[in-house]
Each structure stands twice: as structure tokens, then as C-alpha cells.
Amino acid sequence: MKFYEYGNKNNPAVLYIHGMGCDVLKSFQVPTEVLQKDYRIIAAALDGYDGEASAFSSIHEQAEKIATFLNKNYHGSVYAVIGMSMGGFIALDLLCRYGITAEKLLLDSGYTDNLPFAKLIASAVSWGFDCLLHDKHRRLVKSGMKMMMGYCFDKKDLHDNPSRQTIYNSEYACMTYTLPDNLGALQNCRVTYLYGEKEKQMIKGMHTLKAYLPDLEEISWGNVGHGEIMAEKPKLYAEMLKKLLIN
């Protein structure tokens, strides 16, 4: 795992955790340019996505490693955590299971309920990502991912070379994730869930979260799919994050 830091150390710290298959520098390039003027940006490149000979193992392990870094360098506290997709699962663990504190938690489609046939779907998704990265069966893969998530990333938006094991482990971890027992740890944290209206599974997950967190704020991106605003309209994405951090 690697950590990239930008902006003045005296500014409020904002942690960004990227999604499955994504590259933290690509995903957060434009938001970093916008936000680093007013915030200390911490971007975590997860195991398997950090350019090292590592592989993603579990959500819990990633959260623990981030917590260790924040305890050492930021006294265990940041102003905000932004978790995109799988990054949202890790963010929930970070704040509830590992005691990191934040005033704001922004979940960009950052949680979904468990799904059946997790191993089968994880195998299919890891195959699909491999195809996208190596320009194979693109039409079939894009159609399948749009059917599942409402949007399919292009190769340019993804990490250059995550292993199939990393993608498999990432997908399986999300599909079998168990919410922390102590979601009450978020009672002093403003939690916002952002979603596209084509993300049916993510919307279901949001409703599950809201049953535990009745003050959870819902914000729709409109009729878009998973990660579509981040990938296709990065300036709008950055401005929305800036607005949510200010308000």
C-alpha cells in the first residue's frame, strides 16, 4: 500500500480510498487539483493497486493498514473520508472497526448488500476486467457490466495491471462484506451516500445503511451508472465533493 499526500499539512485532512480495479491517481486527479488548495489530501493506493508486487487480500486488512498510517501521521483523525465503491466498504471498517474519527464520510456508491453466488460472480468479474485491460471481448464485457452496474469503465480509467487474483479478492470481499456491529461510532459523523439511479444494487445497499443510520444523507447523480460521473465528468465530480466538504 502506498500513500500520496498533497496540499498544506496545516489544512484539514481528507482521505480518499479508491474503488475496485481503479487507480487512485487517475480516479482522483481532478479532485486533487481542486481540493488541495484548501485541504491536505491523502490518497491511499490499496494493495494490488499500488504498483508493487502485492495483492489485495481483504477489506479488513486494507482498513487496518490505513488506520496504522493515520494513527502514526494524523493522530487517528481526519476531517473527511471519501470512499468510492469498494473504498466505501473500507471506509466503514476504518471508522467503525479501527477507531479512526472523521467529521464527514462521503460514500460514493460505497456499500451494497451481500449477493448470492459470490465466488461465481467474482470469477466472472475478474475475467471481465482482464478482458478490458487486454482489449478482449470488449463488446461482451461492456454489455455485461452495464447490465450489472449501469456503466462500464474504459481501460484508461482503470489501474494498469492489477492481477486477476486482486480483482477476484476485491469483488468477493465486497459481495460478502459484513457491516460493523458498532455503526453507532458514526453518530458524530455526517454520512452522505452518493449514487446513480442505474445502480440498483447500490441503492438497495443505501437503504440497508439508512435503517442503521437514519440521518444518512442521500444524493443522486441522476440517471447514470456506477462511477460514471467520476470517469466521464471529473470536473463536476470534483465540484460536488468540494461542495459537500464545505457544507
Side-chain angles (χ1 to χ4, degrees), residues 8 21 78 100 141 149 152 154 168 189 194 198 211 216:
N8 192 313
V78 294
I100 299 301
V141 172
M149 307 299 291
C152 181
D154 286 326
Y168 176 92
C189 177
L194 302 104
K198 294 181 180 180
L216 181 145

Side-chain angles (χ1 to χ4, degrees), residues 18-206:
H18 66 83
M20 183 187 73
C22 294
D23 184 304
V24 70
L25 300 181
K26 293 179 182 179
S27 297
F28 208 51
Q29 179 182 353
V30 176
T32 295
E33 293 170 358
V34 172
L35 298 177
Q36 68 177 331
K37 300 171 186 177
D38 300 303
Y39 300 96
R40 174 67 167 178
I41 301 299
I42 310 161
L46 304 173
D47 289 345
Y49 305 98
D50 57 0
E52 303 292 336
S54 61
F56 184 96
S57 56
S58 72
I59 285 169
H60 303 320
E61 182 179 19
Q62 301 307 294
E64 183 177 21
K65 287 186 176 183
I66 295 173
T68 298
F69 174 84
L70 294 179
N71 282 324
K72 179 180 179 181
N73 298 283
Y74 290 88
H75 307 290
S77 181
V78 294
Y79 173 64
V81 179
I82 302 171
M84 195 280 159
S85 189
M86 181 178 72
F89 295 72
I90 296 169
L92 287 169
D93 257 26
L94 184 66
L95 300 184
C96 296
R97 289 192 165 108
Y98 291 95
I100 299 301
T101 60
E103 293 184 31
K104 297 187 178 185
L105 171 59
L106 308 183
L107 299 172
D108 181 1
S109 302
Y111 172 72
T112 186
D113 293 334
N114 291 167
L115 293 174
F117 312 112
K119 291 183 178 180
L120 179 62
I121 295 177
S123 294
V125 169
S126 62
W127 173 82
F129 268 86
D130 188 67
C131 288
L132 283 177
L133 291 171
H134 296 93
D135 298 312
K136 300 176 182 177
H137 311 294
R138 291 180 59 81
R139 183 175 297 179
L140 173 63
V141 172
K142 281 184 169 288
S143 296
M145 290 195 174
K146 286 181 179 179
M147 186 179 299
M148 288 178 61
M149 307 299 291
Y151 177 74
C152 181
F153 287 105
D154 286 326
K155 178 179 178 180
K156 65 179 177 58
D157 301 311
L158 300 173
H159 189 273
D160 293 337
N161 194 32
S163 67
R164 287 183 67 167
Q165 189 64 52
T166 281
I167 298 298
Y168 176 92
N169 290 350
S170 300
E171 179 71 11
Y172 183 79
C174 291
M175 296 182 67
T176 59
Y177 178 76
T178 302
L179 282 170
D181 292 331
N182 63 327
L183 283 170
L186 298 174
Q187 63 182 348
N188 295 319
C189 177
R190 181 175 178 180
V191 184
T192 303
Y193 195 103
L194 302 104
Y195 65 94
E197 292 170 9
K198 294 181 180 180
E199 301 180 81
K200 303 305 181 185
Q201 291 298 327
M202 297 300 183
I203 292 172
K204 290 180 180 178
M206 177 183 67

Side-chain angles (χ1 to χ4, degrees), residues 233-246:
K233 298 181 178 180
K235 290 184 179 179
L236 173 62
Y237 188 68
E239 289 303 322
M240 174 60 82
L241 295 180
K242 181 179 179 179
K243 180 180 178 181
L244 290 171
L245 290 173
I246 293 173

